[in-house]
Amino acid sequence: MDSPDTDWADVRLHVVTGKGGTGKTTVAAALALALASGGRKVLLVEVEGRQGIAQIFDLPPLPYEERRIAVAPDGGDVYALAIDPEEAMLEYMEMFYGMRRAGRALTKMGIVDFATTVAPGFRDVLVTGKTTEAVRRRGRNGRRVYDAVVLDAPPTGRITRFLNVTKEVAGLARVGPIKNHSELVSGVVKSPETAVHFVTLLEEMPVQETLDGIAELRAAGLPAGGIFINMVRQSLLPQAALDTAVKGRFDSEELAVGLKAAGVTDGSQAQALAEALAEEVEEHAHRTELERAERESLTEAGLTRYELPLLADGVDLAGLYELAESMRNQGAA
Amino acid sequence: MRKPARLDIDAILDDKGTRIIVCCGAGGVGKTTTAAALGLRAAERGRCAVVLTVDPARRLAQSMGLTELDNTPRLVSSPEGGGQLYAMMLDMKRTFDEIIEAHADPERARQILSNPFYQSLSSSFSGTQEYMAMEKLGQLRRSDEWDLIIVDTPPSRSALDFLDAPERLGRFLDGRFIKLLTAPAKAGGRSAFRLLNAGFGLMAGAMTKLLGAQVIKDLQTFVSALDAVFGGFRQRAEMTYRLLQAPGTAFLVVAAPERDAMREASYFVERLAEERMPLAGLVVNRVHVSPASGLSAARSAAAAEDLESRGEHELTAAVLRLHAGRMQLAARESREQEHFVSAHPTVPVVQVRAMSEDVHDLTGLREIGNLLATA
């Protein structure tokens, strides 16, 4: 199949990160749907054991197994995989050493627990290893099995450590198989086939964390992708009204006239209600102004930005398709 | 909604018997800000307070003028009336290093500190932060330099990690695998796996293949060195745990009026009861209120529709739509809180309304403190 004409046409591995509470998993799921549309095959990967994908798609908990979970618009399939580091380790031992039984014994002895506790770098290399294997995997026809892989990754504060496996592992294992494996992973993660996307809200803290995260990622030589601004609210008021409101000069008398015309209040109460509503408008204008400033600071990063609407009814399956469509309209997929 | 008792913040702060306040809750609900605001208010009411934060986002720092991770409390403000506010941001690695230095002889301490596994454990083990926070809390309390310690718990994935961490670290260091690795050291330094039977031999081979021989060697050195100083770890962890159950401690569960955060708050309240930890109440941050709450969402939306269909007063119609949205949000938030209140009717609650701006300075913290106490 030809590469579609999108901003990330050559990218095979989409890593989605974001501060807690920004809707990272939702965006990753919608991106997988968007990338799959038009008859493509996409794998959505989860690594933190939270079963967030199952919750969003309203499915029972996902096993450690790639299975089809959704059909994209215009055909196309989304597969999902919840990576369990323990299972990944067994698979890895079998694949490279044919030692599944010994692997089981290690698990029983708590070595995986041990490795993930004392050296999170080991755990990360197993998880990213499994993900990049799916990216590289080819079918009998020699073509890649997945057109794209979307990884619902750890949050912004941890993303660079998580992806920079070679560095994390180097201190622990200077030679040996883990070290070689981490170099293989690194080859994929640092290539132009990978893009790390950031999910943020138009609020001070998430925006600052996004900018810090991007700087850190770049310093480590990892490829930054796009910024997904989530839960954007449409302003209902015209800009001129917002401008006067932010200065505290919103005309409550005119509002009172309108309220009377609408019949929500009688004459004596109209002015008091109008003043209360004007206060609300001023607060709203103030927030809109802050959001504008946050949007502005995001431009500093020099990355492509996409805006996703706040879903009025919360995130459900219909909402995911709505977000996916919005992504496609903006060229993200 | 059944009305819960109001959480009286000032009564807690003014009670000289309150020596520790622990703010816990899901990530992103404003725990750190709450902790800092309580600290400032306590100081302004005459207490000598120290705020201990473990949040790597360094937010508290910014609002209190701190810039660095630091292991010593710094004076932030000494308001009139004799009170003082100190604050510190936990440096987890340094706290860990100090424990090692205090409990191992210099040669052994050097061995541990330079070991790659120790370095990994002390800077990134997901339980280390919680463990060190509890350790630091114990240290501050024993020093008796402050009469009120306010601690902000780490943003853990699972909410009560800070209670579980000491035990988890203990379990980990007592585990079979550790025993296996320390066995040779205890048997006089012979090779790690020589003493073991054939089944273990297979496994040892697997481990060496998987990790490499050097890694195994580093691991062994690390574990046997740590083993020697660990006795003290568990003991102090237990002391801190008992300190938290003592009557001078007040747990505040912090939440936002959203489903996940309120669910987490419920879980906290139940866990604290199980652990017999003294719960003071629930703080719900970022509650949206409307100055025109007498006009319902439904009436507001209907009036807007009416004006729109007549093509009159466009701006008023837009304002009414905005108000309807705000009232809907308020209703949703109140439903989320109702679940909590009906499940835990005896837990006192205080709500803090949403601010349009983040807190940047002491003035902002003072305002939050006012809202907490008088909302």
Side-chain angles (χ1 to χ4, degrees):
Chain A
M1 185 172 304
D2 297 329
S3 287
D5 182 22
T6 71
D7 298 346
W8 312 103
D10 300 326
V11 169
R12 296 264 177 185
L13 175 57
H14 297 263
V15 180
V16 180
T17 184
K19 180 175 155 54
T22 56
K24 173 171 71 72
T25 302
T26 308
V27 170
L31 182 60
L33 276 177
L35 289 165
S37 65
R40 303 165 74 81
K41 190 172 169 183
V42 174
L43 179 67
L44 175 59
V45 176
E46 166 172 81
V47 296
E48 296 208 292
R50 288 186 299 123
Q51 290 291 344
I53 295 176
Q55 275 174 33
I56 280 189
F57 285 95
D58 205 9
L59 297 167
L62 296 170
Y64 181 67
E65 179 189 290
E66 291 161 37
R67 57 167 58 177
R68 198 172 75 154
I69 58 158
V71 178
D74 319 321
D77 294 313
V78 175
Y79 284 69
L81 169 68
I83 297 186
D84 172 51
E86 210 156 280
E87 288 291 329
M89 171 135 155
L90 291 179
E91 191 178 86
Y92 168 87
M93 293 189 69
E94 184 169 30
M95 196 159 38
F96 289 88
Y97 308 108
M99 294 194 304
R100 193 159 185 97
R101 206 165 62 82
R104 289 242 179 263
L106 290 186
T107 314
K108 263 207 189 128
M109 290 297 289
I111 175 160
V112 176
D113 223 25
F114 177 84
T116 60
T117 304
V118 75
F122 281 168
R123 176 201 154 100
D124 291 347
V125 82
L126 289 168
V127 165
T128 47
K130 177 66 191 167
T131 309
T132 50
E133 183 273 320
V135 174
R136 286 179 289 121
R137 194 187 309 155
R138 288 176 192 274
R140 284 212 192 88
N141 56 9
R143 292 232 298 263
R144 308 262 195 146
V145 170
Y146 291 108
D147 294 297
V149 174
V150 178
L151 172 62
D152 177 13
T156 317
R158 236 169 54 73
I159 190 66
T160 298
R161 281 189 98 132
F162 174 75
L163 292 174
N164 211 6
V165 282
T166 355
K167 181 159 174 290
E168 289 302 311
V169 165
L172 299 169
R174 282 170 289 276
V175 291
I178 284 273
K179 166 97 172 117
N180 299 342
H181 187 58
S182 74
E183 273 163 10
L184 193 64
V185 172
S186 182
V188 174
V189 170
K190 292 197 170 174
S191 79
E193 280 195 350
T194 296
V196 182
H197 306 298
F198 289 79
V199 182
T200 187
L201 306 178
L202 286 177
E203 288 169 17
E204 204 173 321
M205 225 95 82
V207 166
Q208 191 53 51
E209 233 173 81
T210 300
L211 294 174
D212 292 349
I214 292 168
E216 208 183 327
L217 194 75
R218 283 178 168 151
L222 292 161
I227 299 176
F228 290 85
I229 305 173
N230 200 13
M231 305 185 208
V232 175
R233 268 170 284 222
Q234 290 302 324
S235 181
L236 299 161
L237 300 180
Q239 191 57 47
L242 291 173
D243 288 344
T244 49
V246 89
K247 293 184 197 118
R249 288 205 291 255
F250 191 76
D251 187 352
S252 63
E253 274 160 39
E254 195 197 318
L255 189 57
V257 175
L259 291 173
K260 274 188 261 184
V264 290
T265 177
D266 62 30
S268 61
Q269 299 295 310
Q271 188 55 32
L273 180 60
E275 273 163 26
L277 288 174
E279 194 184 316
E280 205 169 291
V281 170
E282 276 161 24
E283 233 177 82
H284 169 77
H286 198 63
R287 229 216 21 238
T288 309
E289 180 66 22
L290 286 174
E291 287 179 354
R292 196 195 51 74
E294 295 306 334
R295 201 178 259 121
E296 188 75 14
S297 24
L298 281 174
T299 61
E300 280 170 30
L303 299 178
T304 315
R305 293 174 308 282
Y306 309 97
E307 300 217 352
L308 304 174
L310 176 72
L311 300 171
D313 301 322
V315 180
D316 55 9
L317 210 49
L320 278 187
Y321 282 97
E322 188 184 329
L323 294 180
E325 197 191 335
S326 167
M327 286 175 180
R328 284 177 56 74
N329 292 340
Q330 296 178 69
Chain B
M1 161 165 144
R2 181 157 20 160
K3 205 123 176 81
R6 217 187 76 79
L7 174 63
D8 189 347
I9 291 289
D10 282 346
I12 297 171
L13 297 181
D14 292 345
D15 179 357
K16 293 269 186 260
T18 311
R19 302 298 302 270
I20 295 174
I21 297 177
V22 184
C23 297
C24 49
V29 295
K31 273 196 305 271
T32 313
T33 313
T34 302
L38 289 173
L40 183 62
R41 190 166 181 89
E44 293 184 345
R45 299 174 76 85
R47 307 276 319 246
C48 183
V50 59
V51 175
L52 165 63
T53 183
V54 266
D55 193 329
R58 304 186 185 181
R59 301 165 207 171
L60 178 69
Q62 287 145 14
S63 61
M64 298 200 290
L66 298 180
T67 50
E68 287 291 314
L69 279 179
D70 197 347
N71 252 5
T72 319
R74 303 284 166 192
L75 183 65
V76 177
S77 157
S78 23
E80 287 169 37
Q84 283 183 316
L85 174 64
Y86 283 79
M88 67 165 282
M89 253 187 307
L90 181 76
D91 183 333
M92 125 179 131
K93 183 162 180 3
R94 247 175 62 198
T95 306
F96 210 151
D97 289 357
E98 284 167 13
I99 298 175
I100 300 291
E101 281 159 359
H103 290 84
D105 60 73
E107 172 53 22
R108 183 153 259 165
R110 197 193 50 75
Q111 258 183 28
I112 298 178
L113 296 183
S114 63
N115 185 284
F117 282 91
Y118 171 75
Q119 285 165 2
S120 174
L121 176 72
S122 62
S123 54
S124 50
F125 169 39
S126 61
T128 305
Q129 203 176 32
E130 289 84 353
Y131 182 84
M132 292 305 140
M134 289 300 104
E135 172 72 28
K136 200 76 206 175
L137 173 63
Q139 285 177 15
L140 291 176
R141 182 66 183 82
R142 281 191 296 274
S143 81
D144 216 23
E145 283 178 55
W146 295 273
D147 65 14
L148 178 63
I149 304 164
I150 300 171
V151 48
D152 154 44
T153 59
S156 313
R157 206 184 71 188
S158 114
L160 277 180
D161 267 3
F162 71 98
L163 285 180
D164 298 331
E167 216 224 297
R168 201 146 45 91
L169 193 68
R171 212 170 42 229
F172 158 66
L173 288 165
D174 279 350
R176 289 168 73 190
F177 181 63
I178 296 274
K179 290 275 180 289
L180 179 69
L181 286 169
T182 48
K186 286 173 180 160
R190 267 175 290 165
S191 155
F193 302 105
R194 194 170 301 160
L195 303 173
L196 308 169
N197 63 33
F200 279 175
L202 170 73
M203 206 177 60
M207 276 197 51
T208 311
K209 261 192 189 158
L210 186 71
L211 301 170
Q214 180 62 41
V215 174
I216 301 291
K217 204 164 149 268
D218 283 343
L219 258 176
Q220 268 182 272
T221 326
F222 163 66
V223 167
S224 54
L226 205 58
D227 197 45
V229 294
F230 185 64
F233 273 43
R234 294 202 89 166
Q235 213 185 342
R236 278 200 316 286
E238 275 159 28
M239 268 167 59
T240 308
Y241 189 84
R242 281 199 298 276
L243 189 63
L244 290 177
Q245 291 177 326
T249 301
F251 276 85
L252 284 181
V253 176
V254 185
E258 287 146 23
R259 186 160 306 165
D260 290 352
M262 292 307 297
R263 200 186 286 146
E264 197 91 332
S266 274
Y267 169 71
F268 262 104
V269 166
E270 286 151 25
R271 259 311 289 280
L272 290 171
E274 266 170 45
E275 310 274 341
R276 291 182 292 116
M277 300 279 174
L279 172 71
L282 173 74
V283 175
V284 186
N285 279 329
R286 299 192 199 133
V287 177
H288 288 89
V289 288
S290 165
S293 57
L295 180 58
S296 75
R299 273 183 66 214
S300 193
E305 202 177 314
D306 181 40
L307 287 179
E308 281 158 4
S309 69
R310 281 161 30 200
E312 289 170 12
H313 298 285
E314 270 174 43
L315 189 57
T316 304
V319 171
L320 286 168
R321 289 261 176 228
L322 182 74
H323 177 69
R326 171 68 78 98
M327 292 302 286
Q328 264 165 2
L329 177 63
R332 200 167 67 216
E333 290 182 350
S334 136
R335 275 197 304 278
E336 299 303 348
Q337 293 176 73
E338 259 168 57
H339 293 302
F340 179 91
V341 172
S342 39
H344 308 283
T346 57
V347 176
V349 179
V350 65
Q351 295 167 328
V352 179
R353 69 173 165 78
M355 312 265 278
S356 51
E357 232 176 314
D358 283 349
V359 173
H360 293 107
D361 49 23
L362 292 182
T363 313
L365 286 179
R366 191 172 295 121
E367 196 181 334
I368 301 267
N370 279 332
L371 290 172
L372 273 165
T374 58

